[in-house]
Amino acid sequence: PLQARVKRVLGTIALAEERLSPSELASLLGDTSDSVWGIIDPLRPVLAVPSPDEAHRGIRVIHLSFADFLIDRSRCTDEEFYIHSPIQHTLIALRCLEVMQSLKYNICEIDSEHHRLLNNEILDLSTKIAQHILPALRYACKYWTRHLCRAEIGEDLLMRLEEFCEHHLLHWLEVLSLLGYVDGAIDALQLVQVSLKVSI
C-alpha cells in the first residue's frame, strides 16, 4: 500500500548514514526510480529533492527537526507517518544484505597480473570501482553493520546474515579494501557480535 511505501522511503531518508540520490534510494530499497520520485516529489515542502537534471544529488530533510519528529512517538502521533526506528533499521539492514548478494570475487575484474599490486598502483581503479560497485552496493557495504546494530533482530535477519557470512564475507572485505574502508571492518563485526549476543 502507498502508506507503507511512503513510510519506507521517508524512514530510509531520515535514518540513512549518508544522503542518497533518488536512483540510489530506489536501488537500495529494491524499488523503481519512478515509484520513488512519485513519493518524494509531493514532499518538497519538507525534503530538498534534486531537480531531474541534478538527479545524482542526494535527497535531504530540509529541517533535521522533521527527521527527529518522525521517529519520536511522543511527538509524531499519526501512525501514517511515525517511523519506528528499530523496524526501519531492520528493513534497511535486510535490503543491504540483499543488495550484497551481488558481491563476488574480483568484482572489479582486475587483471590477474595486477592482483599483487597495491590499490594505488592499479591503473584506472577509480573507474573500475565506479563501473562495478554501484552506489547502492557501496552504501550497503559501508553501512549494513550500523543498521543491523540498531535493528530488531529476528529470524529473517539472522537467516540473511548467516547466508551473507557463509558466501560473501570475504567479497565484502575485498570491496571495503577497494573503497578504502577495510580498517573499520573488525570493529564493525565486533559491534554486530555484541548486538547479536544482546538480542538473542
Side-chain angles (χ1 to χ4, degrees), residues 73-143:
R73 185 179 284 281
S74 66
R75 295 168 63 197
C76 184
T77 55
D78 188 338
E79 282 297 324
E80 285 193 32
F81 293 100
Y82 170 65
I83 308 297
H84 185 57
S85 294
I87 290 177
Q88 185 66 35
H89 281 298
T90 302
L91 184 151
I92 300 172
L94 279 168
R95 281 301 307 158
C96 285
L97 289 167
E98 287 173 23
V99 167
M100 290 191 296
Q101 289 297 307
S102 64
L103 290 172
K104 61 180 181 179
Y105 173 70
N106 192 20
I107 192 168
C108 287
E109 298 178 2
I110 296 165
D111 294 338
S112 57
E113 63 264 27
H114 295 151
H115 283 183
R116 294 182 182 275
L117 297 178
L118 298 174
N119 286 347
N120 60 11
E121 296 173 334
I122 300 172
L123 292 176
D124 296 326
L125 181 60
S126 59
T127 302
K128 292 179 184 293
I129 289 172
Q131 182 181 355
H132 296 284
I133 308 174
L134 299 181
L137 179 58
R138 200 173 309 152
Y139 181 93
C141 288
K142 286 166 64 177
Y143 299 120

Side-chain angles (χ1 to χ4, degrees), residues 12-104:
T12 303
I13 293 169
L15 297 177
E17 293 290 332
E18 61 184 49
R19 293 175 190 170
L20 299 165
S21 73
S23 61
E24 290 165 4
L25 181 60
S27 295
L28 182 63
L29 293 177
D31 213 336
T32 65
S33 288
D34 285 348
S35 176
V36 167
W37 273 106
I39 290 169
I40 62 175
D41 213 34
L43 297 173
R44 288 180 183 274
V46 292
L47 296 178
V49 179
S51 59
D53 58 333
E54 293 186 311
H56 62 285
R57 296 174 65 88
I59 308 161
R60 66 177 177 84
V61 179
I62 293 174
H63 300 290
L64 289 178
S65 58
F66 178 66
D68 294 335
F69 167 78
L70 289 174
I71 62 175
D72 186 342
R73 185 179 284 281
S74 66
R75 295 168 63 197
C76 184
T77 55
D78 188 338
E79 282 297 324
E80 285 193 32
F81 293 100
Y82 170 65
I83 308 297
H84 185 57
S85 294
I87 290 177
Q88 185 66 35
H89 281 298
T90 302
L91 184 151
I92 300 172
L94 279 168
R95 281 301 307 158
C96 285
L97 289 167
E98 287 173 23
V99 167
M100 290 191 296
Q101 289 297 307
S102 64
L103 290 172
K104 61 180 181 179

